[in-house]
């Protein structure tokens, strides 16, 4: 794979669009608190850009919309149980909560810390009755902490094995119910550990649906983007072109790049599962739409006015108001059509956000 030590950031187009242009009213009862009874039984809204139509289906109908010769691009990053609880070393009454966001170096992670005022450089904290010790070694410009972890490497091999013992899945704050089965916040094809949140559009897929697509002649190309807070960070700027994305690490293998390019050259569509797969391809492609094998950081921010290079169709969940995700979806179709579709979803009582229903835009 071609290694690139750079950050992919698109040149922002000047825009008069405001963050408030992407607001909408969502009744609280439509925020999904748990997954559908079966992954593929969630509802599916199909938006046809050419005909301007909206159809209401179930996710298991997705097979009818993906054609022989198409390529389905999936993000195979795996969510880690990144939320851990402990206390300041030597002070068991001083509780500390960490959310591991991304690995910076071996056993050094960028983290969110609560309470932040305690987390000065040099502070050491204890987790899992001493299984894991963390020391704050730096503070980022955004106020996150860089924490270097210590543990018995001979016994545990790596930090992931400890997190699976003591960590909790980092569910978004709008989900208030406990998750009974951690695998439901994980795609069935998750492979490489490192995400602080699930690429949720992929949660609807089952092994059976993936096999039906393969049998139909659809190629499946994995890419990887470790989902961090950059994807979900609130847009605080009034104007879209003033917002700065956090960067996230992505990787596209030579095999996947070649597969995507071959299928598209032969007339097949590139169908991205989720905004993370979409951002990965748009970061890894050139102006002609050719996808290149690479590993890099991306801070690409896609909003209306952006010209897509490598993506022909998009499967995505329903996103928070004023989020960068709804802005990306609006860029893929149009702001007016997407906001209209969201109002339809509210009227039809679709379920929203991470455990909610989804849409196919083709």
């Amino acid at each position: 794979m071609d290694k690139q030590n750079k950050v992919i950031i698109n040149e922002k187009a000047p825009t008069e669009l405001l963050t408030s242009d992407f607001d909408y009213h969502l009744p609280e009862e439509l925020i999904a608190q748990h997954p559908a009874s079966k992954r593929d039984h969630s509802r599916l809204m199909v938006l046809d850009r050419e005909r301007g139509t909206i159809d209401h289906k179930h996710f298991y109908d997705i097979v009818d919309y993906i054609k022989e010769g198409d390529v389905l691009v999936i993000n195979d990053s795996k969510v880690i149980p990144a939320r851990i609880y402990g206390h300041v070393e030597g002070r068991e009454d001083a509780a500390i909560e960490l959310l591991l966001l991304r690995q910076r170096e071996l056993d050094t992670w960028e983290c969110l810390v609560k309470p932040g005022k305690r987390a000065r450089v040099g502070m050491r904290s204890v987790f899992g009755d001493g299984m894991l010790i963390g020391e704050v070694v730096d503070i980022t410009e955004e106020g996150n902490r860089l924490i270097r972890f210590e543990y018995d490497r001979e016994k545990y091999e790596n930090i992931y094995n400890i997190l699976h013992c003591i960590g909790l899945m980092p569910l978004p704050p709008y989900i208030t119910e406990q998750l009974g089965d951690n695998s439901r916040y994980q795609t069935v094809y998750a492979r490489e550990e490192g995400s602080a949140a699930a690429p949720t559009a992929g949660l609807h897929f089952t092994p059976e649906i993936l096999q039906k697509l393969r049998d139909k002649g659809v190629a499946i190309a994995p890419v990887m983007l470790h989902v961090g807070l950059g994807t979900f960070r609130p847009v605080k700027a009034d104007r879209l072109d003033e917002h700065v994305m956090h960067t996230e690490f992505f990787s596209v293998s030579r095999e996947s790049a070649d597969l995507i390019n071959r299928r598209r050259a032969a007339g097949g569509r590139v169908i991205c599962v989720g905004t993370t797969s979409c951002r990965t391809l748009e970061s890894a492609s050139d102006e002609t739409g050719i996808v290149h094998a690479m590993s890099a950081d991306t801070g690409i921010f896609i909003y209306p006015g952006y010209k897509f290079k490598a993506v022909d169709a998009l499967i995505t969940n329903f996103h928070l108001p004023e989020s960068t995700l709804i802005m990306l979806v609006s860029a893929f179709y149009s702001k007016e059509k997407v906001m209209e579709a969201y109002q339809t979803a509210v009227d039809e009582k679709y379920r929203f956000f991470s455990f909610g229903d989804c849409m196919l835009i083709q």
Side-chain angles (χ1 to χ4, degrees), residues 99-170:
L99 177 62
L100 281 68
L101 298 178
R102 67 177 291 180
Q103 188 172 21
R104 292 295 189 178
E105 300 173 7
L106 180 64
D107 295 329
T108 298
W109 287 70
E110 182 177 348
C111 302
L112 284 179
V113 183
K114 292 183 182 179
K117 61 183 180 181
R118 285 184 181 153
R120 300 184 178 92
V121 172
M123 184 201 77
R124 290 169 60 85
S125 43
V126 180
F127 306 91
D129 294 327
M131 291 173 65
L132 191 65
I133 306 292
E135 180 177 347
V136 179
V137 294
D138 203 357
I139 301 175
T140 70
E141 290 183 5
E142 297 84 6
N144 297 336
R145 270 52 174 182
L146 294 185
I147 296 183
R148 184 172 58 237
F149 291 102
E150 306 167 10
Y151 55 91
D152 187 336
R153 182 173 296 279
E154 185 174 329
K155 182 176 181 180
Y156 296 109
E157 190 176 345
N158 58 52
I159 193 171
Y160 297 111
N161 290 331
I162 296 178
L163 293 177
H164 283 291
C165 292
I166 66 173
L168 298 177
M169 294 299 266

Side-chain angles (χ1 to χ4, degrees), residues 275-342:
T275 57
T276 58
S277 298
C278 176
R279 292 177 67 238
T280 297
L281 286 201
E282 291 300 310
S283 298
S285 61
D286 60 29
E287 292 303 318
T288 68
I290 300 297
V291 177
H292 297 272
M294 65 169 64
S295 295
D297 288 337
T298 182
I300 191 170
F301 178 25
I302 297 175
Y303 55 86
Y306 179 86
K307 303 301 182 186
F308 286 83
K309 301 170 290 186
V311 182
D312 302 305
L314 177 66
I315 298 169
T316 185
N317 278 20
F318 293 93
H319 304 295
L320 276 72
E322 300 187 350
S323 64
T324 61
L325 306 178
I326 195 172
M327 294 168 187
L328 182 153
V329 176
S330 297
F332 192 70
Y333 193 177
S334 79
K335 182 179 79 70
E336 293 73 24
K337 289 292 188 180
V338 167
M339 300 311 290
E340 175 187 323
Y342 269 60

Side-chain angles (χ1 to χ4, degrees), residues 10-50:
N10 61 300
E11 293 185 9
K12 296 181 184 177
T15 180
E16 297 301 318
L17 284 172
L18 303 176
T19 300
S20 58
D21 292 332
F22 298 87
D23 193 14
Y24 65 92
H25 173 67
L26 179 67
E28 189 174 342
E29 63 268 20
L30 296 185
I31 300 174
Q33 293 297 316
H34 52 80
S37 58
K38 296 182 179 178
R39 287 180 185 265
D40 59 357
H41 280 48
S42 52
R43 296 170 73 187
L44 174 68
M45 178 183 286
V46 181
L47 305 184
D48 190 304
R49 294 182 292 176
E50 185 174 332

Side-chain angles (χ1 to χ4, degrees), residues 234-279:
V235 179
K236 296 180 180 179
D238 291 332
R239 288 169 50 106
L240 267 59
D241 52 8
E242 296 172 349
H243 176 68
V244 178
M245 293 281 286
H246 276 89
T247 59
E248 295 163 311
F249 179 74
F250 76 91
S251 183
V252 179
S253 69
R254 171 64 61 191
E255 182 181 16
S256 287
D258 289 347
L259 177 58
I260 293 165
N261 293 331
R262 283 199 310 270
R263 286 284 174 131
R264 203 175 198 211
R269 297 177 302 164
V270 177
I271 303 171
C272 279
V273 179
T275 57
T276 58
S277 298
C278 176
R279 292 177 67 238

Side-chain angles (χ1 to χ4, degrees), residues 30 32-36 318 349-353 355-358:
L30 296 185
Q33 293 297 316
H34 52 80
F318 293 93
K349 298 193 182 324
Y350 275 66
R351 301 167 75 240
F352 279 66
F353 306 162
F355 285 144
D357 300 314
C358 69

Side-chain angles (χ1 to χ4, degrees), residues 180-196:
D181 178 3
N182 281 351
S183 69
R184 293 304 307 272
Y185 194 59
Q186 204 81 264
T187 63
V188 297
Y189 46 74
R191 181 186 59 85
E192 186 168 344
E193 293 188 301
S195 276

